[in-house]
Amino acid sequence: MSQGVCVVTGGGRGIGAATCLRLARDGWDVCLSWTSREDAAARVAAACRDAGARTAVVRADVSRESDVTALFAAATELGPVRGLVNNAGSLGRQSRVEDLEAARVERTVAVNLVGAILCARAAVRAMSTRWGGSGGAIVNVSSRAAVLGGPEEYVDYAAAKAGVDALTVGLAKEVAADRIRVNAVRPGLIRTDIHASGGEPGRVDRLAPSVPMGRGGEPEEVAASVAWLLSAESSYVTGSILDVAGGR
Ligand code: NAP
């Protein structure tokens, strides 16, 4: 039997793609969004269908309110929404704060923090018993940068992710009585395209020796924690932030 529909933002690549596949294997139907790589999202959706899931693929920039509304409308058409993975994220090129341009900071906060709040709002409206739903779970994909601060690289991104941590704690308390659990994962150095988008494709290899476990992580290792936080196995866990970072 289906676990219900889970919305995974940025499900076409990296951690989002691994999460979609894991959720499909766990019995979820999956509604995934993309912004620049329709091809990647379509491939992930096909793999999810091969695993037995029903899928919807939606072009949606999470920082745009109307896109988020359309994303959740598509998800609701698929079936009852019971999960959200706030995975979409982006960062600018590595830079010191003194060199940051306002437009880049605004974009970073818009995608990583405003987008997460807009999607969480839509998920609450779809899942909350207050709104006629039957409950569900939200998992926010934060970052260890929220704690480490991202110096010399992207303090703006780290600050936005610290906001995601606060969103997790506050929203968890707000909707606990409405049968919605809200948790976060804080990945460390995970092998995805995001490091190249920051200007350093080899970043994980450079920093791996500084990780207590001595290696970078794989997207599937984050997906496993996300899947657990969405599942009934974590039924008494809310407002928690789980570091998936090899001890970093
Ligand atoms: P990635 O491979 O670069 O993938 C980013 C995903 O986000 C893509 O699917 C992309 O869509 C989507 N996206 C970007 N901007 C978006 C927007 N405005 N609206 C909707 N979707 C958008 O990165 P990743 O490493 O998997 O990152 C996933 C999450 O993990 C992010 O929140 C990131 O901050 C977090 N994280 C990653 C690491 C790491 O080491 N990799 C560490 C800590 C936290 P398209 O494919 O259509 O471009």
Side-chain angles (χ1 to χ4, degrees):
M1 205 183 81
S2 171
Q3 307 266 13
V5 176
C6 187
V7 175
V8 181
T9 62
R13 290 190 289 135
I15 293 168
T19 299
C20 288
L21 284 168
R22 171 63 192 251
L23 294 181
R25 290 183 191 124
D26 287 357
W28 290 85
D29 294 322
V30 180
C31 177
L32 61 136
S33 74
W34 59 278
T35 44
S36 71
R37 291 286 305 276
E38 183 176 17
D39 57 328
R43 274 197 300 275
V44 171
C48 289
R49 287 194 294 276
D50 287 346
R54 297 165 65 242
T55 63
V57 184
V58 183
R59 179 178 194 162
D61 179 337
V62 294
S63 70
R64 291 172 58 112
E65 190 174 21
S66 56
D67 283 12
V68 173
T69 302
L71 173 62
F72 277 81
T76 306
E77 261 179 47
L78 204 56
V81 177
R82 301 235 164 78
L84 164 66
V85 183
N86 252 329
N87 167 76
S90 67
L91 41 74
R93 292 186 76 80
Q94 293 174 348
S95 171
R96 289 172 62 87
V97 169
E98 64 215 56
D99 299 322
L100 289 176
E101 287 180 5
R104 169 249 172 90
V105 175
E106 284 166 9
R107 183 69 188 150
T108 299
V109 174
V111 175
N112 293 286
L113 180 55
V114 177
I117 295 173
L118 292 178
C119 290
R121 181 183 70 176
V124 168
R125 289 177 180 176
M127 303 190 304
S128 167
T129 51
R130 261 175 206 261
W131 290 72
S134 54
I138 297 172
V139 180
N140 296 322
V141 181
S142 175
S143 171
R144 277 297 289 164
V147 178
L148 300 171
E152 312 281 344
E153 293 190 323
Y154 18 70
V155 171
D156 54 344
Y157 168 83
K161 291 297 193 182
V164 170
D165 287 0
L167 165 67
T168 303
V169 172
L171 183 60
K173 291 175 179 166
E174 197 170 285
V175 298
D178 307 326
R179 294 185 57 185
I180 300 174
R181 295 182 300 108
V182 186
N183 294 288
V185 292
R186 265 192 311 230
L189 294 163
I190 311 299
R191 294 189 184 281
T192 72
D193 297 343
I194 204 166
H195 309 286
S197 68
E200 189 185 357
R203 181 171 178 265
V204 174
D205 290 330
R206 174 173 64 85
L207 293 172
S210 70
V211 178
M213 285 181 69
R215 65 173 179 87
E218 300 299 329
E220 291 74 16
E221 295 181 287
V222 182
S225 294
V226 172
W228 179 72
L229 287 169
L230 283 172
S231 78
E233 295 294 308
S234 61
S235 54
Y236 199 52
V237 180
T238 198
S240 292
I241 302 174
L242 179 60
D243 290 331
V244 186
R248 187 167 189 256

